[in-house]
Amino acid sequence: MYPVSYKPERACYKSCHHAMRIASRSSIFYQRQHFYAASSFAGKRPKFFVKRRVIFPSLPCNPVSAPSEINMNGYNRKSPQKRRYEMTKYAVTPKKKICKERIPQPKNTVAMLNELRHGLIYKLESQTGPVHAPLFTISVEVDGQKYLGQGRSKKVARIEAAATALRSFIQFKDGAVLSPLKPSGNLDFTSDEHLENDVSKSAIAVDGQKKVPDKGPVMLLYELFNDVNFDCINIDGAQNNCRFKMTVTINEKKFDGTGPSKKLAKNAAAKAALASLCNISYSPMVVPQKNVPLPIDDKSSSMELPQIHADTIGRLVLEKFMEVIKGQEAYSRRKVLAGIVMTENMNFCEAKVISVSTGTKCVSGEHMSVNGAVLNDSHAEIVSRRCLLKFLYAQLDLQCNQATAYQSIFVRNTDGQYPYKLKSGVHFHLYINTAPCGDARIFSPHENDTGVDKHPNRKARGQLRTKIESGEGTIPVKSSDGIQTWDGVLQGQRLLTMSCSDKIARWNIVGIQGSLLSSIIEPVYLHSIVLGSLLHPEHMYRAVCGRIEKSIQGLPPPYHLNKPRLALVTSAEPRNQAKAPNFGINWTIGDTELEVVNSLTGRTIGGQVSRITKQAFFVKYGFLMVNLPGILVRKVTTDYGQTKANVKDYQTAKLELFSAFKREDLGSWLKKPIEQDEFGLAE
């Protein structure tokens, strides 16, 4: 029997470990005490320590005379399992690995060619030369043309064949930049044109419709261009609503992208570069949904506005908003931002921002006005359209003076029933940072919910919807109380206003010029609608024109169903969870300062009448009827409501719109109390 405690001077690790296992299995009491076993075979300093005092019933070997020049495994080096028992005071702190910057490896010509042409087959044509120094010839067929390459190995010959093929349709600019050119019929290898043959084909589906590229924008950009540099230039927003801005530089050209994270901002910048340099679009409009009857008219076979134009429209409106809000940053808080941009002959380099507005609320019923002195609907897109009306009145004012008539966007109409019409090539583009409320926004953005609604008892899609006073969101008109009356609203009934989706659908029938101007000018329609977020092609198309295209009929010319181009900007607006403010701003080109309106009262924050109310426009209309050349009836003798009713073609088109909604069983258009329009011109 061995003593209770001992300190072996020379004990092998195997013996100690075996003894500890026996003690543990026998459940014998043991206390913590230092002892160690030294390696005796090399005379090294002891390194193994165990903090235990063990009562050993027996040991398989004599600890005093434990002979060992080598350990039990026959090795003079400890295994990793044994090292974990060593005390940290003798352990060596591992050195921190220094990560070397990874240098991107250039792709060989075979990889480049396979990315541009899939399914290529390389064939061994011949093998010549002596056995110790063979010369291989390999061919590859690209677009019906065979290209050869030679080399001392099959790999080198394959690389040379791919290089020969690439040189036939790839320009190597400064030895680095790849710029795929036009079809092989174009022999001008020095051209700077980009991607109209090769990579663009990957963005075209079999049926001729464009499709979103399979690869991400950043990856695709790196594959097409070698000289690509991303920079994060600034960070905007609060900590909980941060916005990053990335800039990508390609061939000394810069493209910006913003997003709630650096990754999304980088993707947006890459999308902008691809859209500008290669005409590659990642817009959801590129892939039409299966059940969407895309329109085919005389001008275009697609509803998609080119991505570069959409980005320009969004950027111009955002920049103008930041410009006009300077000095009144307290009113920069907003949830919905809208604006209208005007172009001539689709020249976006000289595009003009006509209006900018914010707002998400409607007037409270107790603040209705009997003389047209309040804004009933302060939603941003509706306010922007009213600002456009103000601009149209100003342009007609220029026609009142021969010295300024040439500056107007209107010209005399000598061959029509309307005295004036827009100049040829003038287009208006509406920007909204999110989908308009109502039918265009009733969908889940993360679900593929295409197809007919499977609910058997209702039509969830296409229904006319109304906004609720002093709040956000919409409800179907079938859930409303029907006809609205003045005294009913004053007694406490909620004042209801048609949703923005429904109003935009109305503009696509009767125009955006309004009923008063319809007696002077031909209908004016939106050329495009650009969204900052929540663009779903199927729902947006249905909301703005698709739900009535089969039932609309009998429109008096030149009224027609307008189908605006649709697009989503590459730098999408983030979802704003903040509470919407009760104010909105509006600015029209020519204004020296912006106007801030209390959305709940329909008046400015100072209590004055807004410059875009019914009352203000009726006064401008009265001035034009007296001073504008070419007007037959000069005097306005009726009130506002009756004057609008006298514009027969406009009223016919509007009634046909309401009938089309009824024929589709989508509900009845809800009107405001008629007392609101029973006011006349001031004497």
Side-chain angles (χ1 to χ4, degrees), residues 232 235 244-246 257 259-268:
C232 185
I235 301 174
F244 295 89
K245 186 174 182 181
M246 299 289 290
S261 66
K262 289 184 179 179
K263 179 180 179 180
L264 294 178
K266 191 174 184 179
N267 281 342

Side-chain angles (χ1 to χ4, degrees), residues 24-163:
S24 175
R25 291 175 183 173
S26 304
S27 302
I28 299 175
F29 173 77
Y30 61 94
Q31 300 177 357
R32 299 172 63 89
Q33 179 178 329
H34 293 288
F35 77 95
Y36 61 87
S39 26
S40 58
F41 52 86
K44 296 180 181 179
R45 183 176 180 177
K47 292 184 179 180
F48 178 73
F49 291 85
V50 179
K51 294 184 177 181
R52 288 175 182 173
R53 180 183 179 187
V54 188
I55 300 177
F56 296 96
S58 63
L59 284 175
C61 63
N62 188 352
V64 178
S65 61
S68 181
E69 291 300 327
I70 59 173
N71 61 15
M72 298 294 293
N73 293 324
Y75 296 97
N76 58 1
R77 186 177 297 174
K78 295 179 187 152
S79 64
Q81 289 81 4
K82 297 174 184 177
R83 293 196 191 106
R84 62 193 177 111
Y85 292 102
E86 296 180 4
M87 289 190 64
T88 55
K89 81 184 227 179
Y90 287 101
V92 180
T93 305
K95 292 184 179 180
K96 206 168 186 179
K97 291 184 179 180
I98 301 175
C99 296
K100 295 182 179 180
E101 185 176 355
R102 185 174 296 176
I103 301 174
Q105 298 298 322
K107 297 178 182 178
N108 62 34
T109 54
V110 176
M112 294 182 190
L113 186 61
N114 287 339
E115 288 174 354
L116 300 179
R117 296 287 191 278
H118 300 291
L120 297 178
I121 298 177
Y122 295 84
K123 294 181 181 179
L124 177 62
E125 295 289 335
S126 64
Q127 177 181 347
T128 59
V131 178
H132 66 279
L135 182 65
F136 297 93
T137 302
I138 287 183
S139 67
V140 60
E141 187 172 335
V142 181
D143 295 339
Q145 181 71 32
K146 183 182 288 187
Y147 301 94
L148 301 177
Q150 291 184 335
R152 290 297 182 183
S153 67
K154 293 180 181 179
K155 180 180 179 181
V156 174
R158 190 182 300 113
I159 291 175
E160 288 298 322

Side-chain angles (χ1 to χ4, degrees), residues 306-491:
Q307 188 65 59
I308 187 172
H309 294 167
D311 291 339
T312 301
I313 291 170
R315 175 178 55 82
L316 289 174
V317 173
L318 288 170
E319 289 177 353
K320 181 59 68 173
F321 172 73
M322 298 304 297
E323 176 186 333
V324 301
I325 205 67
K326 284 183 179 179
Q328 299 194 52
E329 284 78 7
Y331 300 108
S332 63
R333 194 160 55 93
R334 46 93 177 176
K335 204 163 189 178
V336 179
L337 170 69
I340 292 180
V341 175
M342 183 184 73
T343 60
E344 295 188 34
N345 300 319
M346 297 299 288
N347 182 8
F348 283 86
C349 296
E350 299 180 1
K352 297 179 181 179
V353 179
I354 302 302
S355 63
V356 173
S357 59
T358 64
T360 56
K361 300 290 181 65
C362 293
V363 69
S364 176
E366 60 182 324
H367 293 287
M368 290 189 305
S369 172
V370 293
N371 56 6
V374 302
L375 284 178
N376 291 327
D377 191 343
S378 291
H379 281 233
E381 50 268 57
I382 309 303
V383 174
S384 271
R385 180 253 176 184
R386 297 195 69 83
C387 291
L388 176 62
L389 291 182
K390 181 172 177 286
F391 171 73
L392 296 181
Y393 277 109
Q395 291 297 304
L396 286 172
D397 282 342
L398 297 175
Q399 289 286 345
C400 296
N401 188 342
Q402 289 185 350
T404 58
Y406 73 96
Q407 302 175 8
S408 174
I409 63 172
F410 293 103
V411 293
R412 291 292 297 268
N413 189 11
T414 57
D415 56 353
Q417 57 178 324
Y418 299 92
Y420 293 88
K421 64 179 180 180
L422 273 180
K423 287 181 179 178
S424 178
V426 175
H427 295 110
F428 295 102
H429 312 269
L430 172 65
Y431 170 79
I432 319 171
N433 71 333
T434 185
C437 67
D439 190 44
R441 206 188 291 174
I442 307 299
F443 67 91
S444 174
H446 300 292
E447 293 180 8
N448 186 16
D449 52 358
T450 58
V452 180
D453 196 327
K454 297 180 180 179
H455 196 291
N457 299 322
R458 65 177 171 88
K459 290 184 178 179
R461 306 302 185 192
Q463 292 288 319
L464 291 173
R465 305 177 72 89
T466 62
K467 310 165 190 172
I468 304 173
E469 70 171 57
S470 307
E472 294 183 82
T474 59
I475 58 174
V477 291
K478 292 181 179 179
S479 302
S480 64
D481 300 329
I483 298 175
Q484 299 187 96
T485 60
W486 186 277
D487 49 351
V489 173
L490 292 183
Q491 286 293 326

